[in-house]
Amino acid sequence: MTQRKILITSALPYANGPIHLGHMLEYIQTDIWSRFQKARGHQCYYVCADDAHGTPIMLKAQQLGMSPEQMIAQTSQEHQADFAEFLIGFDNYHSTHSEENKQFASDIYTKLDQGGYIKRKTISQLFDPEKQMFLPDRFVKGDCPKCGALDQNGDSCDSCGATYSPTELKNPRSVVSGATPVLKDSEHYFFDLPAFEQMLKDWTRSGSLQDEMANKLQEWFTEGLQQWDISRDAPYFGFEIPGAPGKFFYVWLDAPIGYLASFKNYCDKTGVNFDQFWQKDSEAEIYHFIGKDIIYFHSLFWPAMLDGAGYRKPTSVYAHGFVTVNGAKMSKSRGTFIKARTYLEHLNPEYLRYYFASKLTSNITDLDLNLEDFAQKVNADLVGKVVNIASRCASFISKKFDGKLTAEIAEPALLAEFTAAGETIAESFEKREFARAIREIMALADKANQYIDAKAPWVLAKNEATLTEAHLVCSMGINLFRVLMHYLKPVLPAMAKEVELFLNDELSWSTYQTALTNHSISVFKPLMQRVEMTKVEAMVEGSKENLQPTATAPVAKAAVAETKAAPAADSAESTIEPIGETINIDDFAKLDLRVARIINAEHVEGADKLVKLQLDLGNEQRQVFAGIKSAYQPKQLIGRLTVMVANLAPRKMRFGLSEGMVMAAGPGGSDIFLLTPDDGATPGMRVK
């Protein structure tokens, strides 16, 4: 077999939050493929890094009262700890906030500029007058200019899929302060993507992309490629553009360059030749594993940047779908938005590695983590089939035959069938058809168990006359188990290491066709425990976010429901929540509901969700903090009548004293509706 030079990357996790199971799908998929390539004897490297730049990093660091550098260093430690426990075998893990990345970003930009691919023009941008900053796309929300869907991001609509400029949004608002942004001019730098149109058309149809990706990208060619804005104005956490004070590289310019930077960092430490992988005429292979939401960046902008700057393009970009849990979008309220750390507190990481592998294919469809199926599949396949083979045979080898396997193989044809499957299983792994590989492995495991059932070594071992046959059967079973563990090693590296200790043997793809004969094994120890649903349930419970009113503000439950991710129209978050604890009529009678006029409404500095309301009850005024900022601009509220709980005890908050609760309903996000009395009501009037 010819040794290949392979560089593999996963998309860089953003350094402003923890890793969750949606992320883990990609890293598990990539790690299995990387481990497989290494097991086959190729010169293979797997690198990654934290994506550490951008406005969200800057703003979150401010909220936490630390520098961006401190925050990304802390996040990197947390990310790497999670990855390590999930057995993700990076050869190098770095950061885009590194000297290597700064040098590569500047070099690529300079070469593109010298080649005439950087254009400068003045544009009008949305500007937050309160925070005195230009607003990146994702820090503006409003109504979709195409379909009218409410509360959409500044660059694309989750409802209809349209892409647009933030200046096209209807009723825009700043996510940072809640203020209505204004237009302001600024000179920006653009990458001339249209200049690479023909190259990109050829490359995207060259087999480097999945068919679904290539077909999706055709829409961009049909609409016409646009120049790409690669600059951002200060304040911004990132690298300053050479020769352009106050201008910074947009995070999406230097993020993929992080692949080069991380690999260069590794090469400098190990002596690997960087240029052999990235130079224009390189025969090495480079593969990017990504989620389907970042296809455009990796399959249009990135190869065009590389080509324009004199680097080679990726061999392939492989996209995967999203993770759903129990058939629905991951939900914080249901406890199915599961952080990697929360999972690790309750369950063996190899359970998830196996389950994802058993469902992963080479296409871009979403993968559902059905928690009951997850437990049943792991228990049935790994515990009930694979481990069961070894546990049924090993005790006899140890107790009856001094821990030594027979000198001959009882069923050479059956063992040959197991080893002959190696190439088709390898082909499935190579093509990222992990589910197919797992099916083939489990079919073999069934045959091994059927063989042991038919021979019944526990019966043979009771009779001195059949003791030799029992020895042969159990040795055969151990050899069949060993072949299966060769195939499963990329998926279950920790269990494979335990098996190697048990077998006193190294599981290598080059040795799986050679049987263990006249060979001593160690005493068998349990390799994997069954998944307990009580632990799965505890993990879900530990992932639930408390959505009840807390010290955030004494407002109606619906008014704080927006602490969840803002739901799309068809999101699982939009479903009606179950009725909570019941009260009796006497409890309800204690509520003093009054009509109040909102005489003033203000943004609350330092709070993402609160609006400060001044309410007139006719004979007095009250101050109330309400978590309705995602649905209402303060100026929209002034003069409106609403209903409030007037006899709620005041609550002291860090923003001030809240003296009541306004009544609202809705699923959250932009769908929060203040309860309003009928026309003719006057402030102070009781609501009955």
Side-chain angles (χ1 to χ4, degrees), residues 465-486:
T466 54
L467 200 57
T468 298
E469 187 179 356
H471 193 188
L472 284 165
V473 170
C474 290
S475 297
M476 179 71 187
I478 294 297
N479 268 285
L480 297 179
F481 167 75
R482 173 178 173 269
V483 175
L484 297 181
M485 285 308 303
H486 273 92

Side-chain angles (χ1 to χ4, degrees), residues 31 34-35 38 46 83 86-92 353:
D31 183 70
S34 169
R35 287 180 183 273
K38 291 175 180 179
Y46 177 22
F83 288 138
F86 267 102
L87 308 167
I88 307 302
F90 299 119
D91 290 289
N92 199 59
R353 288 179 65 99

